[in-house]
Amino acid sequence: MLVGVACATILGARSCASAAPRSGAGECVAGAARADTLSAVEPRGELVLASGARAVLGSLRWPDDPEVAKAAADRLTARRGGTLTVVARGEADRWGRVRIDAVAEDDGIDLAGDLVGAGLGLVDAGEGDALCRPGLLAVEETARRAGLGLWRHPPIEAGDGAALRAAAGRFAVVQGTIRHVGERPSRSYLDFAGRGEDGLTVTVSKRTWRRTREHGLSADRLKDARVRVRGVVEIRRGPTLEVAVPETIEVLEAPTAVAGVDGERALRR
């Protein structure tokens, strides 16, 4: 069972507040745990609770694939009428929905972790600038290795321009080797293809780049590293996506030689 995947104390008084990342902590701060009942599940994974609250599971991206989305909805709907222990995070969004962690009281299953572990949801910070439950990335990796749900197809390769263009406008998980890192005053660029090649470029805002460096991922440590990134694919001069959360730059294989801290380039202002 996937119980309390990212925070074992979800049912306790501490809730998950101590697990919130340092940056963007406000949107990850957890409220007090309370009991509620699942009344209905909307088509895009919105949960209607007996208290009248409308909620979405935090750190989870609802699948775009219609078949997988139906399986995810069916999995949640099977819990309709059941009591949940609910912990709200941050403020309600513009549609009045609150992001929650939710655990079923009858069997202790964490709803977000259950969907991610079955390959029926993707880990995503959404519109926030912090991933409140980074531990779900490990759960997702287990599902990916098993080829479950969404992972019956592997992530898109960053050098596959045709596949990236086909994914334009959609959220995608992409992996590949960073060929070049360009640091600029307002944003930085991670290039996965050489000049004249059709491949991915990842953009990182100045603020997020600072936080990325705080996570130990400098330009020297990322160049020639094989990484996994995620976001909405857009087509500009070529395929691109923006990373807003450092935790979603996952290093799969470090470069063979990494410069020491003293040799790292400082972020140009």
Side-chain angles (χ1 to χ4, degrees):
M1 292 192 305
L2 298 171
V3 182
V5 173
C7 183
T9 56
I10 186 171
L11 300 179
R14 286 178 58 243
S15 187
C16 293
S18 62
R22 286 185 302 160
S23 298
E27 64 194 60
C28 289
V29 169
R34 62 181 178 83
D36 211 327
T37 302
L38 179 61
S39 296
V41 180
E42 298 295 327
R44 291 293 300 173
E46 182 177 297
L47 307 181
V48 181
L49 304 178
S51 63
R54 305 184 76 84
V56 291
L57 295 172
S59 300
L60 179 80
R61 177 94 180 188
W62 195 253
D64 292 323
D65 183 299
E67 180 182 343
V68 178
K70 182 180 184 306
D74 289 347
R75 199 174 182 97
L76 290 176
T77 299
R79 296 187 176 277
R80 189 169 52 191
T83 302
L84 306 174
T85 298
V86 173
V87 174
R89 286 187 184 270
E91 301 294 328
D93 65 17
R94 52 186 162 175
W95 298 284
R97 305 175 306 181
V98 64
R99 289 177 297 112
I100 63 170
D101 300 333
V103 171
E105 287 198 352
D106 59 350
D107 57 10
I109 293 291
D110 173 86
L111 269 58
D114 185 53
L115 290 180
V116 171
L120 302 179
L122 295 163
V123 180
D124 180 32
E127 295 183 353
D129 63 356
L131 181 62
C132 297
R133 299 186 63 187
L136 287 176
L137 289 168
V139 179
E140 184 187 88
E141 176 64 16
T142 299
R144 185 164 38 247
R145 289 179 181 276
L148 300 178
L150 290 161
W151 305 115
R152 64 184 185 275
H153 303 299
I156 298 174
E157 284 295 324
D160 189 342
L164 289 164
R165 291 174 186 279
R170 301 203 306 272
F171 187 89
V173 177
V174 185
Q175 58 190 33
T177 300
I178 298 174
R179 304 277 292 275
H180 174 261
V181 179
E183 296 176 293
R184 301 291 184 269
S186 61
R187 65 185 58 247
S188 293
Y189 299 87
L190 311 179
D191 295 315
F192 289 79
R195 186 180 298 275
E197 297 176 346
D198 193 16
L200 182 69
T201 294
V202 167
T203 62
V204 188
S205 71
K206 181 176 182 177
R207 178 171 179 269
T208 302
W209 186 244
R210 282 202 182 102
R211 292 167 54 205
T212 300
R213 289 175 59 87
E214 290 172 1
H215 279 68
L217 298 179
S218 65
D220 290 331
R221 291 183 183 277
L222 285 172
K223 186 179 183 301
D224 296 325
R226 183 167 174 80
V227 304
R228 182 184 299 124
V229 294
R230 61 192 65 213
V232 176
V233 178
E234 298 179 358
I235 306 301
R236 296 175 185 169
R237 292 183 178 178
T240 184
L241 64 79
E242 182 172 2
V243 167
V245 179
E247 292 89 346
T248 58
I249 302 177
E250 302 173 76
V251 176
L252 307 179
E253 185 178 341
T256 54
V258 177
V261 174
D262 291 340
E264 294 177 358
R265 289 172 288 178
L267 178 61
R268 291 196 291 270
R269 299 179 182 276

